[in-house]
Amino acid sequence: MSNLEPRPPARDMGGLAGTTAGPALDLLPGKEVLLGESTRVRRLLPTLGRRMVGAWVFVDHYGPDDITSSPGMQVPPHPHTGLQTVSWLLDGEVHHRDSLGSDVRFRPGELALMTAGHGIAHSEQSPATHPRFLHGAQLWVALPEGDREVAPHFEHHAQLPGFSSDGLSATVLMGSFGGVTSPGRAYTPLVGVDLDLADGADVEVPLEPDFEYGLLTSSGSVSVDGVPLEPGAMLYLGTGRRTLRVRAGAASRLLLLGGEPFEERLVMWWNFIGRSGEEVAEYAEQWNAESRRFGAVVGYDGERLEAPPLPPVALRPRGRVR
């Protein structure tokens, strides 16, 4: 998924200065953004006060939207560098094409994981004949210095591991949780888990004390350590927790994201992650010049996205919070 803001701000990210040295319960304000022709998303990361949770650098939550009379998601070909995209659907279907030749439709419960590495381009669309509702999350993970130039690749996992207990069904998208491990390849210690809670469930969720965490409510109504969390909201949980108590006031879906605090300083602008403003500017120039770095998306009927103008100020890496 692309950042389609016409004037995307530069995000200076990473480092340990902004990591909470203990538990927290900070509600992260979201921002509504138009994605493509018709899809509105709630951008929850980066946001005011926080840029990263572990290596997770970008969280968009969209839907549930009734797309019966609309084309649904329509994101033209666009580039990425230095990151992984993690696509997760609760309702609907998305057609992914990329410059490696991948041509995949993925559905709820399936993991679409694209590692951009050195550079890749892709498009995302709701098929012409699509389900009534579209609901899901698009996530980005920063790649560490030693792996950020890895050859790009795409993974589609139609089945993911998980477990059920006491009104909770957990599906592990990335990393390990509750004794099970996702087949998706991760490059830093992190975790991503879909938590499906029955109405009235009251559970203790196991956590790693060295990880920092964020919790997104996709649907339903829950209380997290006594703090109510409504759909589309994200709560930053800090570090130092071994468990988290979650109570469901209705059948609910949550997305738990965590990882070791990311030590490196980054620059994220538009769809690129680099280590300096000059590097990111070079990525944008190469994309607009149709460099071989990114390749071409075959099969998409339409124009690709051009990189927007760079901001007038220098792009510099700073810390994890504003």
Side-chain angles (χ1 to χ4, degrees):
M1 189 172 288
S2 175
N3 179 358
L4 297 184
E5 294 179 83
R7 294 180 177 84
R11 313 285 187 177
D12 304 313
M13 318 172 83
L16 300 180
T19 302
T20 302
L25 287 170
D26 300 333
L27 191 64
L28 302 183
K31 174 185 177 183
E32 189 171 274
V33 177
L34 181 63
L35 182 71
E37 300 174 4
S38 57
T39 303
R40 289 194 174 274
V41 304
R42 288 166 289 281
R43 185 147 298 158
L44 297 158
L45 202 70
T47 188
L48 184 64
R50 183 147 305 278
R51 294 186 175 94
M52 300 181 73
V53 175
W56 301 95
V57 293
F58 185 93
V59 176
D60 272 357
H61 174 244
Y62 53 90
D65 296 322
D66 188 337
I67 59 171
T68 304
S69 57
S70 80
M73 182 181 293
Q74 298 294 322
V75 183
H78 59 277
H80 289 291
T81 58
L83 57 85
Q84 292 178 290
T85 64
V86 180
S87 301
W88 182 246
L89 282 177
L90 300 177
D91 291 293
E93 183 179 6
V94 171
H95 190 174
H96 165 99
R97 295 184 178 95
D98 64 41
S99 52
L100 302 176
S102 308
D103 190 330
V104 172
R105 297 187 182 199
F106 61 92
R107 300 170 180 83
E110 302 177 2
L111 174 64
L113 175 62
M114 186 180 75
T115 300
H118 180 74
I120 198 170
H122 74 139
S123 64
E124 295 154 298
Q125 297 175 279
S126 297
T129 302
H130 51 253
R132 176 180 176 182
F133 290 103
L134 180 64
H135 185 197
Q138 180 67 39
L139 318 162
W140 296 357
V141 177
L143 291 173
E145 176 65 31
D147 297 298
R148 69 189 184 101
E149 288 289 329
V150 69
H153 56 276
F154 178 76
E155 303 172 41
H156 175 221
H157 299 286
Q159 293 185 331
L160 293 172
F163 62 89
S164 297
S165 176
D166 299 325
L168 168 66
S169 293
T171 303
V172 183
L173 285 66
M174 295 288 288
S176 299
F177 181 81
V180 294
T181 300
S182 166
R185 182 173 180 182
Y187 291 83
T188 57
L190 56 74
V191 68
V193 187
D194 180 86
L195 304 174
D196 189 345
L197 283 84
D199 185 2
D202 187 345
V203 299
E204 290 283 340
V205 177
L207 302 180
E208 294 289 340
D210 293 336
F211 282 16
E212 60 179 344
Y213 288 93
L215 188 66
L216 164 66
T217 303
S218 303
S219 63
S221 177
V222 299
S223 171
V224 180
D225 274 5
V227 176
L229 199 59
E230 297 301 319
M234 189 169 179
L235 195 65
Y236 176 67
L237 302 170
T239 61
R241 296 177 183 269
R242 294 188 181 275
T243 62
L244 181 71
R245 188 167 190 179
V246 181
R247 297 179 178 180
S252 303
R253 296 287 290 275
L254 310 174
L255 196 56
L256 178 69
L257 305 173
E260 287 187 357
F262 197 84
E263 297 185 18
E264 300 173 36
R265 300 274 181 111
L266 310 172
V267 173
M268 185 170 82
W269 177 80
W270 196 44
N271 297 311
F272 305 124
I273 288 182
R275 296 306 188 272
S276 70
E278 293 78 10
E279 192 174 58
V280 169
E282 178 65 18
Y283 296 154
E285 181 179 336
Q286 289 178 339
W287 169 252
N288 284 348
E290 301 191 28
S291 162
R292 289 187 296 175
R293 179 187 196 106
F294 299 101
V297 178
V298 176
Y300 179 85
D301 184 15
E303 298 296 320
R304 67 183 206 149
L305 292 176
E306 291 291 304
L310 287 158
V313 297
L315 309 183
R316 295 188 179 92
R318 296 192 183 95
R320 302 170 57 77
V321 297
R322 292 177 187 268

